[in-house]
């Protein structure tokens, strides 16, 4: 009987100890869960606060409440700019030309230019002097008609066609050619044609 009482008492004490251990474990687990949840909430809140404190152009792009792209508008702009610059590096070279012209307007402009063309006879110095004396274009007076280097599309179509046509030779007078500005004599100094 004493043994039974001792065993019962020991068993009760063990049960109480286990019940207490279970209570302590459950309570600790509950506390840990609440701490972790609070930290996660705080981290989410602080991340959102950090994100909202940035200027809009530095924030991640938010599509919907649940969908956010992991880059900012500035990042998108830099990527697009880089793509444009890289494509420019790898683009094909363009044709270019250096030319001079004499521009006249009025009813008798074409006839005057025809006479000038006969006087020039392949002499670029004569061409420049006539441009300085008679050309209505500001480039004529200061530069002897020199227009500098340009690529297709920079001049009016008729002018472009005359300069970038393979049929017209470098170092010869071309024209008279009519454009919306008037009548032109053209001298091609240099030309690089890229096909």
């Amino acid at each position: 009987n004493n043994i039974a009482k001792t065993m019962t008492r020991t068993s009760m004490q063990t049960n109480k100890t286990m019940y207490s251990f279970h209570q302590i474990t459950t309570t600790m687990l509950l506390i840990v869960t609440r701490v972790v949840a609070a930290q996660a909430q705080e981290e989410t809140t602080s991340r959102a606060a950090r994100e909202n404190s940035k200027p809009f152009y530095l924030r991640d792009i938010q599509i919907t409440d649940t969908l956010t792209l992991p880059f900012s508008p500035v990042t998108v702009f830099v990527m697009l700019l880089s793509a444009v610059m890289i494509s420019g590096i790898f683009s094909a070279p363009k044709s270019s030309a250096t030319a001079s012209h004499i521009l006249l307007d009025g009813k008798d402009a074409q006839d005057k230019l025809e006479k000038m063309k006969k006087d020039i006879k392949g002499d670029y110095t004569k061409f420049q002097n006539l441009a300085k004396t008679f050309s209505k274009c500001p480039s004529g007076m200061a530069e002897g008609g020199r227009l500098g280097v340009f690529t297709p599309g920079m001049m009016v179509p008729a002018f472009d066609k005359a300069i970038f046509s393979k049929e017209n030779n470098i170092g010869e007078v071309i024209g008279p050619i009519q454009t919306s500005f008037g009548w032109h004599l053209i001298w091609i100094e240099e030309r690089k044609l890229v096909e």
Side-chain angles (χ1 to χ4, degrees):
N1 241 352
N2 279 344
I3 294 177
K5 282 184 184 179
T6 305
M7 282 180 64
T8 303
R9 232 182 278 136
T10 306
S11 174
M12 285 176 65
Q13 284 176 347
T14 303
N15 281 343
K16 281 183 182 178
T17 304
M18 288 197 51
Y19 179 72
S20 294
F21 179 74
H22 176 68
Q23 262 187 329
I24 292 169
T25 306
T26 303
T27 305
M28 286 180 67
L29 186 60
L30 184 61
I31 291 169
V32 167
T33 304
R34 285 184 180 166
V35 167
V36 168
Q39 285 177 343
Q41 179 67 30
E42 184 179 311
E43 184 179 317
T44 302
T45 304
S46 67
R47 185 181 304 142
R50 272 194 319 270
E51 191 66 26
N52 288 335
S53 70
K54 294 179 185 175
F56 78 94
Y57 51 86
L58 295 177
R59 294 182 198 156
D60 290 348
I61 299 172
Q62 188 167 356
I63 304 297
T64 64
D65 289 341
T66 57
L67 179 61
T68 302
L69 301 177
F71 39 83
S72 69
V74 169
T75 306
V76 172
F77 176 75
V78 168
M79 288 189 305
L80 289 173
L81 185 61
S82 299
V84 168
M85 290 174 71
I86 288 171
S87 69
I89 291 170
F90 296 111
S91 66
K94 294 182 178 182
S95 297
S96 65
T98 304
S100 299
H101 76 132
I102 301 171
L103 170 65
L104 297 181
D105 55 4
K107 294 179 182 179
D108 60 343
Q110 185 177 7
D111 294 333
K112 286 181 181 179
L113 289 174
E114 288 287 356
K115 288 177 188 174
M116 286 182 195
K117 183 176 181 178
K118 289 177 186 174
D119 290 343
I120 294 168
K121 296 180 187 171
D123 185 351
Y124 184 58
T125 306
K126 281 185 182 177
F127 184 94
Q128 286 182 309
N129 289 334
L130 289 170
K132 287 178 183 177
T133 307
F134 297 104
S135 185
K136 301 293 182 191
C137 181
S139 69
M141 294 172 215
E143 302 287 328
R146 195 150 203 263
L147 297 168
V149 179
F150 51 91
T151 58
M154 291 178 69
M155 301 294 176
V156 292
F159 202 89
D160 258 5
K161 185 177 179 184
I163 290 182
F164 293 103
S165 171
K166 290 180 186 177
E167 297 163 8
N168 295 325
N169 296 322
I170 297 170
E172 292 181 5
V173 180
I174 303 164
I177 295 172
Q178 187 177 23
T179 69
S180 57
F181 296 102
W183 288 89
H184 305 261
L185 281 184
I186 302 170
W187 186 286
I188 302 172
E189 298 169 44
E190 292 180 19
R191 180 176 59 201
K192 295 177 189 170
L193 294 177
V194 178
E195 296 182 29

